């Protein structure tokens, strides 16, 4: 089968342009290192709920004030007050990628001064949390950990 000159010329031109023009998405695919510091206070009696606030900071210099909330259920009883929470994100292309709900499953057994660590995911973004604080808890639960942009302070 013969190819016409114009077909070969067009294919050559397309390949030449593709070689010199970088993809438009190349800048968007660079991932950031982002971390979060937060506080979280809550309780559980079958239903588990906690609320708090924090700050997300990324290596590109951006920061974002956030609210954090954890809701779930299971066979769990307790009360907690995390004062020194930290989080580390992976898979973040822009700081807004950290916002949203992350699914988790958890088992607790602790009293008075305690520490915890947890890993969760939301699509391409993963979050690992660690924290220390006061309280007590026993049981197992599942739910979601939600990070939202904080309202502007008045």
């Amino acid at each position: 089968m013969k190819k016409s000159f114009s077909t070969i010329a067009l294919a050559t031109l397309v390949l030449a342009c593709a070689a010199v023009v970088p993809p438009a998405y190349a800048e968007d695919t660079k991932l950031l290192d982002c971390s979060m510091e937060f506080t979280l206070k809550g309780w559980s009696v079958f239903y588990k709920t906690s609320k708090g606030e924090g700050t997300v900071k990324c290596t590109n210099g951006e920061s974002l004030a956030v609210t954090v909330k954890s809701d779930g259920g299971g066979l769990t009883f307790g009360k907690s007050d995390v004062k020194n929470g930290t989080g580390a994100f992976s898979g973040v292309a822009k700081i807004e990628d950290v916002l949203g709900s992350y699914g988790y499953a958890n088992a607790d057994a602790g009293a008075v001064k305690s520490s915890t660590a947890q890993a969760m995911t939301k699509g391409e973004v993963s979050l690992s949390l660690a924290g220390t604080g006061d309280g007590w808890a026993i049981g197992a639960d599942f739910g979601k950990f939600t990070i939202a942009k904080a309202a502007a302070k008045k």
Side-chain angles (χ1 to χ4, degrees):
M1 196 168 169
K2 278 186 161 178
K3 292 189 180 184
S4 70
F5 176 76
S6 61
T7 305
I8 293 172
L10 181 60
T12 304
L13 181 61
V14 169
L15 289 173
C17 288
V20 278
V21 178
Y25 62 86
E27 232 4 80
D28 293 338
T29 59
K30 185 175 181 179
L31 298 179
L32 300 172
D33 290 327
C34 298
S35 62
M36 177 173 64
E37 295 179 354
F38 68 96
T39 60
L40 190 65
K41 192 172 190 171
W43 56 267
S44 64
V45 178
F46 296 111
Y47 178 75
K48 184 176 186 177
T49 184
S50 301
K51 293 181 181 179
E53 58 187 30
T55 304
V56 174
K57 296 178 182 177
C58 296
T59 53
N60 65 354
E62 290 184 298
S63 67
L64 183 64
V66 296
T67 59
V68 293
K69 183 178 179 182
S70 180
D71 290 305
L75 295 173
T76 180
F77 302 94
K79 181 178 174 184
S80 65
D81 186 5
V82 177
K83 297 174 183 158
N84 301 309
T86 60
F89 297 91
S90 62
V92 176
K94 57 187 185 297
I95 196 166
E96 291 81 10
D97 291 348
V98 305
L99 303 175
S101 295
Y102 298 76
Y104 73 84
N106 195 35
D108 290 313
V112 190
K113 299 278 183 191
S114 60
S115 57
T116 186
Q118 195 169 27
M120 52 192 75
T121 187
K122 172 189 73 97
E124 297 292 319
V125 179
S126 295
L127 169 61
S128 59
L129 296 176
T132 59
D134 300 319
W136 60 273
I138 188 165
D141 65 289
F142 58 90
K144 65 181 178 177
F145 184 84
T146 303
I147 302 173
K149 191 173 182 180
K153 294 191 178 189
K154 295 178 183 182

